[in-house]
Amino acid sequence: MGGFWFTEKQTENFGITMKINRTLHTETTEFQHLEMAETAEWGNMLFLDGMVMTSQRDEWVYHEMVAHVPLFTHPNPEKVLVVGGGDGGVIREVLKHPSVKKAVLVEIDGKVIEYSKKYLPEIAGELENERVEVIVGDGFMHIAESQNEYDVIMVDSTEPVGPAVNLFTKGFYAGISKALKEDGIFVAQTDNPWFKADLIQQVQRDVKEIFPITTLYIANIPTYPSGMWTFTMGSKKHNPLEVAEDRFHEIDTKYYTKELHNAAFVLPKFVKDLTE
Ligand code: SAM
């Protein structure tokens, strides 16, 4: 049996190691190093700058939790923005909400879209849906140019490195507030509490200064650093823990449920401490 072992170093002293059956595509794009590989355990997997982005076997945890928590919290989400998310997974989940008339994706690297369509068809398959508008561009600039436009904004970006550095700044969150409608909601993936506690604390501080309702929720993502992932939500009016029972319409998911919607906000003490 061929193949080789690959380690993603998650800190200087710790990493995740996996068996790669074969490399499907590798190139240095205008923005980052892109690698698509067939892994023995997780199916096809997208790496950017050597970091796991998404895999066929566990992708639905992250994509469902980024999309359904804000989209069920908002009473009538019609226009939605995804910043990043070039693999298409969040867009696929967004389209499961019939109220959404338009979903805009702003992904800086067109190669991520191209190779996700080729090697992750079950994730990227909805990017050509008629309700979707794909813009290849900088999400920071798109937000700066948007005003009172979106009901829900999801920031599905890479870590705060390279092109994503600006997407974790207070200025960006202020721009998001401006781009949202008066009762808008935004969610950003905010990494893990074991290795990125400072980042989570900083984002919580910044978002609290801009949004009246700021919360943090978690999910288990086995291929991400530490396996415990966080999402920061900023909401102008609607509380994610006060969703009317009749809002939870039927939806096809593998991880998200209406019970888990509330449970995801129950944090281990060491994580809750990061929000205070
Ligand atoms: N789920 C992954 C995670 O939590 O790290 C993110 C997956 S998605 C592939 C991340 C995407 O963000 C990448 O395709 C990257 O090109 C995109 N991205 C990074 N900076 C960006 C920016 N400033 N504007 C738009 N997209 C950006």
Side-chain angles (χ1 to χ4, degrees):
M1 178 73 172
F4 58 94
W5 287 90
F6 167 76
T7 295
E8 176 197 346
K9 281 191 70 178
Q10 297 169 347
T11 74
E12 273 316 299
N13 315 305
F14 186 78
I16 181 174
T17 295
M18 65 188 86
K19 186 79 177 291
I20 305 285
N21 292 340
R22 60 192 175 114
T23 299
L24 300 166
H25 181 79
T26 178
E27 84 172 83
T28 299
T29 74
E30 187 188 344
F31 299 97
Q32 50 212 338
H33 184 259
L34 182 153
E35 194 126 27
M36 197 67 83
E38 179 194 292
T39 71
E41 193 64 58
W42 301 99
N44 289 354
M45 188 178 272
L46 168 66
F47 298 85
L48 293 176
D49 288 339
M51 293 179 278
V52 173
M53 287 293 122
T54 195
S55 85
Q56 286 176 316
R57 186 169 162 211
D58 76 343
E59 53 86 6
W60 34 270
V61 179
Y62 174 91
H63 294 133
E64 289 179 17
M65 291 305 279
V66 166
H68 302 315
V69 177
L71 288 172
F72 275 116
T73 300
H74 194 290
N76 183 34
E78 293 184 339
K79 191 168 180 188
V80 165
L81 170 66
V82 177
V83 173
D87 53 57
V90 173
I91 285 288
R92 181 196 64 204
E93 294 304 315
V94 165
L95 296 179
K96 292 178 182 174
H97 293 258
S99 66
V100 174
K101 295 185 174 63
K102 181 155 188 192
V104 179
L105 177 91
V106 181
E107 161 60 60
I108 201 164
D109 191 342
K111 296 280 188 175
V112 172
I113 297 170
E114 179 184 346
Y115 289 103
S116 296
K117 285 179 177 174
K118 183 169 183 185
Y119 292 111
L120 302 168
E122 67 287 341
I123 301 177
E126 290 298 334
L127 285 175
E128 271 142 35
N129 185 294
E130 60 184 14
R131 289 190 282 166
V132 178
E133 178 189 358
V134 174
I135 300 170
V136 177
D138 185 344
F140 188 84
M141 294 311 294
H142 183 82
I143 287 290
E145 292 150 9
S146 303
Q147 171 97 23
N148 188 32
E149 185 95 23
Y150 296 102
D151 296 304
V152 176
I153 295 176
M154 296 159 224
V155 184
D156 174 16
S157 73
T158 36
E159 321 241 309
V161 292
V165 165
N166 292 337
L167 305 186
F168 291 80
T169 60
K170 193 170 165 192
F172 182 59
Y173 299 130
I176 285 180
S177 179
K178 178 180 62 63
L180 285 168
K181 292 179 186 166
E182 48 85 28
D183 66 340
I185 299 173
F186 102 94
V187 164
Q189 72 88 358
T190 40
D191 221 297
N192 79 89
W194 287 95
F195 305 137
K196 291 284 176 56
D198 294 349
L199 174 72
I200 295 169
Q201 217 160 20
Q202 185 57 53
V203 171
Q204 283 283 306
R205 230 178 272 137
D206 291 347
V207 174
K208 268 182 186 157
E209 287 184 24
I210 301 166
F211 288 87
I213 303 170
T214 298
T215 47
L216 190 75
Y217 61 96
I218 55 177
N220 163 244
I221 303 176
T223 55
Y224 280 3
S226 88
M228 178 182 280
W229 212 250
T230 71
F231 305 87
T232 294
M233 178 190 281
S235 180
K236 290 187 175 182
K237 180 179 173 189
H238 305 295
N239 188 317
L241 295 173
E242 294 169 9
V243 179
E245 190 64 21
D246 64 359
R247 283 272 313 126
F248 292 103
H249 58 73
E250 270 311 297
I251 193 164
D252 165 35
T253 56
K254 295 182 187 159
Y255 188 88
Y256 178 89
T257 66
K258 70 178 177 186
E259 294 79 13
L260 190 96
H261 175 106
N262 292 307
F265 289 89
V266 178
L267 304 173
K269 177 77 172 54
F270 82 105
V271 182
K272 191 168 184 306
D273 289 348
L274 301 178
T275 66
E276 264 123 36

